[in-house]
């Protein structure tokens, strides 16, 4: 695997690959890689001849400076995992390389970036769009691969791609879970042993809520999920919303959406975990 820190070198490598007729798949990450990221690399290699991965902890998407400071950074281990997965190239730039000047851009993508995470983490999606648009501009991938754990992030990135008419296909890939159901996340390493033992309750309750869909309205089911999770030690729901999977608008009735989707954020101790689940469109 080639490792690049500089834009010019990465771009000349990608230009050679493209000249050889190869399609460029791109997996943007913030490092601390786990099997969820590796599944994105594998999917990229199934669909493209070249897989470029970026590892960059993007300061502009952290609304909490402490979160940025404590975000896990494990570049050596990341390189080993990417080598083993067969990634073609790693781009691990410095902050100065990505932002030679402060990035003041805003993106008018509308409500998808304002609800849920947008409301609870002001500025977060603006930072995500700044870095992803910058990385797309550098790599110019044919396809970019994102994990469905960050369900709203994918909707925001799709909206940005449309807004800017970027020539890249966004591919969403399924959530990878631990055997007990906990969605893989770089933040899971911060859980204490006790918190880790309670965290799987999030997905257990979400799965159970799918079975109850026929007996409750979306609002009643939201409340049921919140009550169940809040009754578990160390867990506190920040929000749980059942929304239309495309618009991300909250729904009143199951018939309001062809694709109802539940999005949740839960504090497990001090660690903020997110997850989501698809509900049936025909009940
Ligand atoms: O999902 C992430 O890890 C980040 O938000 C992303 C897309 C790499 C942008 O920094």
């Amino acid at each position: 695997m080639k490792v690049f820190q500089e834009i010019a070198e990465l771009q000349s490598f990608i230009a050679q690959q493209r000249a050889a007729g190869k399609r460029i798949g791109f997996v943007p990450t913030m490092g601390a890689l786990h099997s969820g990221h590796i599944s994105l690399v594998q999917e990229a290699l199934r669909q493209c001849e070249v897989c470029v991965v970026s590892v960059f902890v993007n300061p502009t998407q952290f609304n909490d400076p402490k979160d940025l400071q404590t975000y896990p950074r494990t570049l050596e281990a990341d390189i080993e995992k990417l080598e083993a997965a067969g990634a073609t190239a790693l781009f691990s730039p410095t902050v100065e390389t990505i932002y030679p000047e402060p990035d003041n851009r805003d993106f008018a993508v509308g409500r998808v970036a304002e609800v849920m995470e947008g409301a609870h983490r002001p500025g977060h999606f603006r930072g995500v769009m700044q870095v992803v648009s910058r990385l797309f501009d550098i790599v110019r991938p044919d396809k970019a691969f994102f994990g469905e754990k960050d369900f709203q992030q994918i909707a925001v990135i799709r909206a940005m791609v449309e807004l800017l008419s970027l020539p890249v296909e966004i591919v969403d890939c399924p959530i990878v879970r631990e055997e007990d159901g906990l969605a893989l996340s770089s933040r899971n390493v911060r859980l204490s042993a006790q918190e880790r033992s309670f965290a799987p309750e999030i997905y257990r309750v979400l799965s159970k809520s799918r079975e109850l869909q026929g007996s409750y309205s979306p609002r009643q089911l939201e409340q049921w999920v919140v009550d169940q999770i809040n009754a578990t030690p160390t867990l506190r729901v920040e929000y749980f919303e059942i929304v239309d999977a495309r618009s991300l608008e909250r729904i009143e009735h199951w018939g309001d959406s062809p694709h109802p989707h539940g999005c949740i954020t839960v504090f497990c101790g001090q660690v903020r975990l997110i997850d989501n689940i698809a509900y049936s469109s025909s009940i």
Side-chain angles (χ1 to χ4, degrees), residues 27 48 80 94 105 109 123 134 155 212 214 225 230:
V27 179
C48 302
E80 273 178 31
T94 61
R105 288 173 303 153
V109 292
R134 179 92 178 103
L212 300 178
V225 165
N230 282 348

Side-chain angles (χ1 to χ4, degrees), residues 205-268:
V205 172
L206 289 180
S207 305
K208 179 84 188 150
S209 75
R210 245 203 310 224
E211 294 167 27
L212 300 178
Q213 193 188 345
S215 323
Y216 289 112
S217 71
R219 290 296 163 94
Q220 288 168 331
L221 198 57
E222 284 174 358
Q223 195 56 51
W224 183 85
V225 165
V226 170
D227 291 344
Q228 294 292 310
I229 293 180
N230 282 348
T232 309
T234 76
L235 299 185
R236 174 122 314 257
V237 176
E238 187 176 46
Y239 67 82
F240 175 57
E241 292 192 14
I242 298 178
V243 299
D244 172 66
R246 302 276 177 276
S247 69
L248 304 188
E249 292 297 337
R250 225 165 154 194
I251 60 170
E252 291 289 339
H253 311 281
W254 294 112
D256 290 348
S257 167
H259 303 286
H261 209 93
C263 297
I264 196 160
T265 297
V266 181
F267 277 98
C268 184

Side-chain angles (χ1 to χ4, degrees), residues 16 60 75 100-101 105 121 123 131 134 150 162 181 194 203-204 217 223 236 261 268 272-273 275 277 282:
Q16 284 166 21
T60 71
L75 189 61
E101 282 156 29
R105 288 173 303 153
R121 299 183 70 188
V131 76
R134 179 92 178 103
D150 296 295
E162 201 179 312
Q194 195 210 20
Y203 184 59
R204 197 194 66 74
S217 71
Q223 195 56 51
R236 174 122 314 257
H261 209 93
C268 184
R272 194 171 181 275
L273 301 177
D275 205 338
I277 195 157
S282 56

Side-chain angles (χ1 to χ4, degrees), residues 4-273:
F4 300 96
Q5 274 211 308
E6 303 301 329
I7 294 173
E9 273 101 67
L10 173 73
Q11 285 183 326
S12 104
F13 173 75
I14 291 174
Q16 284 166 21
Q17 303 299 310
R18 209 185 288 288
K22 297 182 181 171
R23 281 165 303 185
I24 312 298
F26 179 43
V27 179
T29 80
M30 296 207 298
L33 302 182
H34 50 64
S35 318
H37 297 109
I38 299 307
S39 76
L40 303 180
V41 172
Q42 288 164 344
E43 189 54 36
L45 288 170
R46 265 192 289 274
Q47 297 194 27
C48 302
E49 290 73 29
V50 167
C51 171
V52 177
V53 180
S54 63
V55 169
F56 178 66
V57 181
N58 172 37
T60 71
Q61 72 187 74
F62 285 83
N63 53 327
D64 174 358
K66 195 158 160 264
D67 196 19
L68 171 61
Q69 230 173 44
T70 58
Y71 200 84
R73 288 162 170 86
T74 58
L75 189 61
E76 288 305 309
D78 292 347
I79 290 174
E80 273 178 31
K81 288 177 192 168
L82 291 172
E83 295 263 16
T88 322
L90 166 66
F91 180 45
S92 70
T94 61
V95 173
E96 292 70 31
T97 299
I98 294 297
Y99 300 116
E101 282 156 29
D103 191 336
N104 297 315
R105 288 173 303 153
D106 239 326
F107 304 80
V109 292
R111 296 266 306 155
V112 285
E114 288 164 12
V115 297
M116 298 191 289
E117 289 295 281
H120 286 87
R121 299 183 70 188
H124 169 65
F125 283 130
R126 182 182 183 215
V128 169
M129 289 188 277
Q130 287 172 339
V131 76
V132 172
S133 61
R134 179 92 178 103
L135 290 168
F136 281 179
D137 192 42
I138 293 167
V139 176
R140 300 190 181 255
D142 297 288
K143 300 186 182 205
F145 298 78
F146 294 89
E148 277 179 351
K149 182 174 74 67
D150 296 295
F151 190 79
Q152 186 175 4
Q153 172 169 275
I154 297 181
V156 169
I157 290 169
R158 282 190 196 286
M160 179 198 76
V161 163
E162 201 179 312
L163 179 76
L164 304 178
S165 306
L166 300 179
V168 55
E169 182 187 332
I170 303 301
V171 181
D172 43 351
C173 304
I175 299 178
V176 179
R177 298 183 181 279
E178 299 283 6
E179 262 177 33
D180 57 16
L182 179 64
L184 293 195
S185 163
S186 305
R187 291 167 199 264
N188 291 354
V189 296
R190 289 207 222 139
L191 297 169
S192 70
Q194 195 210 20
E195 288 160 358
R196 176 64 188 80
S197 73
F198 288 118
E201 191 63 8
I202 301 168
Y203 184 59
R204 197 194 66 74
V205 172
L206 289 180
S207 305
K208 179 84 188 150
S209 75
R210 245 203 310 224
E211 294 167 27
L212 300 178
Q213 193 188 345
S215 323
Y216 289 112
S217 71
R219 290 296 163 94
Q220 288 168 331
L221 198 57
E222 284 174 358
Q223 195 56 51
W224 183 85
V225 165
V226 170
D227 291 344
Q228 294 292 310
I229 293 180
N230 282 348
T232 309
T234 76
L235 299 185
R236 174 122 314 257
V237 176
E238 187 176 46
Y239 67 82
F240 175 57
E241 292 192 14
I242 298 178
V243 299
D244 172 66
R246 302 276 177 276
S247 69
L248 304 188
E249 292 297 337
R250 225 165 154 194
I251 60 170
E252 291 289 339
H253 311 281
W254 294 112
D256 290 348
S257 167
H259 303 286
H261 209 93
C263 297
I264 196 160
T265 297
V266 181
F267 277 98
C268 184
Q270 298 297 307
V271 184
R272 194 171 181 275
L273 301 177

